[in-house]
Amino acid sequence: MDDVIVKDSNGTLLKDGDSVTLTKDLKVKGASVTLKRGTLIKNIRLTDDPAAIECNAEKVKGLVLKTCFLKKA
């Protein structure tokens, strides 16, 4: 998993434990929650997919977000 390069929407490299902010309002499938643009997500975890990360938001646990909607905080 160390050879997977993960970049945010601006092309900045991401690594485990980074904090990111959302660049777009996102509706969460399976929950009646919308994560607003500018929401800070702390302590992300990288996956085998370079286009996705795992994280916990304040209202939703176990989220998988696409990196095209994130920027490094």
Side-chain angles (χ1 to χ4, degrees):
M1 193 149 98
D2 293 332
D3 57 349
V4 177
I5 296 174
V6 179
K7 295 183 179 183
D8 68 1
S9 61
N10 295 331
T12 307
L13 288 175
L14 296 174
K15 58 182 188 261
D16 281 335
D18 281 348
S19 294
V20 294
T21 56
L22 297 178
T23 59
K24 181 180 176 182
D25 289 355
L26 298 175
K27 292 182 181 179
V28 179
K29 289 184 180 179
S32 61
V33 175
T34 299
L35 297 175
K36 299 292 183 185
R37 190 179 88 207
T39 301
L40 180 67
I41 307 239
K42 298 179 181 177
N43 199 18
I44 65 169
R45 293 175 305 282
L46 302 182
T47 63
D48 291 332
D49 183 3
I53 56 123
E54 292 180 354
C55 62
N56 291 326
E58 53 200 39
K59 299 175 185 174
V60 185
K61 305 296 182 208
L63 267 178
V64 176
L65 295 176
K66 290 191 172 198
T67 56
C68 60
F69 301 123
L70 306 172
K71 69 176 182 177
K72 190 169 181 178

